[in-house]
Amino acid sequence: MKKNILFAILFFAGLFAQAQNASIGPSPINTVSEWKDDVPGYAIFKNEENRERTFTWIKREISMPQDWAVAICDPVLCYDPSTFTQSFTLQPNEADTVIVHVYPTQRTAGEVVVELLLYEEGQTDTVSGMFNFCIALDAAECSLTNVNELSEGQISIYPNPFVNDTQIELELPQATDVHLKLYNIIGRQMVDQSYGLLDGRQKLTIEGANLPKGAYLMQLYLDEQVITRKVIKH
């Protein structure tokens, strides 16, 4: 019976871009990183209905170097790479973080594509979140990286955690349209700041004096590239 359900979900995933009143965002989630033992990609699951709902996620490892591993942390627990599906419950209008962890086992460049399918128990509609990773010893080794893209290793956020303000330091190789968004843990947008075209070494300030304490998801848009990081307000 369970195999039949999984088959149905994978079939319907190609037909539906979004489950009814549920979402994974942003999608796609693109992560470019220098090589390290654990490379995370962050997104938000959101229940957009005014009722408690039980969801199930399915992990699909679309492409990955041999011997690398991928594990999921959903709003309840973190699971080992052998776990490919799990269920959890979200309260009415609740949103929470999901993290896809990539564990490179070789100190070489590699690209990973993971899809998370999310569906509500008893329903056939699904929402699909795509996680794209490019990991390399040097950003130049990464085929997803071009002159317009930066690796996460070329961007620093300090202090993090922060009390009042925090700064994002980066160096742009050419004129780039820069946009910053900050979401709280329930998926509400707290900051939406456009900086226009910037070039060279830059310091962007997140003014956090009026932000409540807690964890936030920061998205930095650099032309077509999106870098997602977690920041914490104390």
Side-chain angles (χ1 to χ4, degrees):
M1 179 66 178
K2 188 172 183 179
K3 288 183 178 179
N4 291 336
I5 294 175
L6 292 178
F7 177 81
I9 294 305
L10 293 175
F11 175 78
F12 280 106
L15 302 179
F16 294 90
Q18 180 168 321
Q20 184 176 4
N21 298 326
S23 62
I24 302 176
S27 184
I29 297 92
N30 298 318
T31 301
V32 178
S33 175
E34 304 295 326
W35 193 95
K36 50 189 174 183
D37 293 336
D38 179 358
V39 178
Y42 300 92
I44 293 175
F45 281 160
K46 188 172 183 181
N47 172 17
E48 297 175 350
E49 287 195 4
N50 191 30
R51 62 182 177 91
E52 180 182 286
R53 301 165 77 189
T54 298
F55 295 96
T56 296
W57 55 261
I58 301 173
K59 176 182 67 172
R60 295 183 62 210
E61 298 174 350
I62 295 174
S63 65
M64 182 167 58
Q66 186 176 5
D67 297 329
W68 287 26
V70 171
I72 306 299
C73 290
D74 69 16
V76 178
L77 288 173
C78 291
Y79 300 91
D80 63 40
S82 66
T83 301
F84 282 83
T85 183
Q86 198 58 246
S87 297
F88 64 96
T89 299
L90 288 179
Q91 298 303 310
N93 300 307
E94 181 184 12
D96 212 333
T97 303
V98 59
I99 309 173
V100 174
H101 291 272
V102 174
Y103 302 112
T105 56
Q106 307 165 17
R107 294 186 64 85
T108 56
E111 297 179 12
V112 176
V113 179
V114 177
E115 182 180 25
L116 276 189
L117 300 175
L118 179 70
Y119 70 97
E120 184 180 6
E121 293 289 350
Q123 302 296 320
T124 55
D125 291 5
T126 67
V127 58
S128 173
M130 298 299 300
F131 293 76
N132 304 314
F133 295 82
C134 192
I135 302 165
L137 294 174
D138 187 311
E141 299 178 38
C142 190
S143 63
L144 294 182
T145 304
N146 58 41
V147 293
N148 294 315
E149 293 187 322
L150 302 177
S151 74
E152 290 198 5
Q154 294 174 280
I155 295 176
S156 63
I157 301 176
Y158 184 82
N160 187 22
F162 64 96
V163 176
N164 293 316
D165 299 338
T166 187
Q167 287 193 330
I168 305 166
E169 295 188 6
L170 69 161
E171 185 163 357
L172 301 166
Q174 63 182 43
T176 302
D177 186 57
V178 179
H179 198 111
L180 174 71
K181 295 184 179 181
L182 194 71
Y183 297 88
N184 65 13
I185 197 65
I186 64 170
R188 180 178 300 155
Q189 184 173 283
M190 306 298 289
V191 175
D192 185 0
Q193 177 67 51
S194 178
Y195 297 91
L197 288 175
L198 299 178
D199 193 2
R201 182 168 292 277
Q202 300 289 333
K203 287 186 178 182
L204 312 179
T205 299
I206 299 177
E207 298 179 356
N210 295 323
L211 292 175
K213 295 180 180 179
Y216 293 86
L217 198 66
M218 183 208 78
Q219 293 178 323
L220 187 63
Y221 294 78
L222 307 173
D223 286 337
E224 299 301 320
Q225 183 185 12
V226 183
I227 291 180
T228 305
R229 299 283 289 275
K230 185 178 182 180
V231 295
I232 298 175
K233 164 71 183 294
H234 276 179

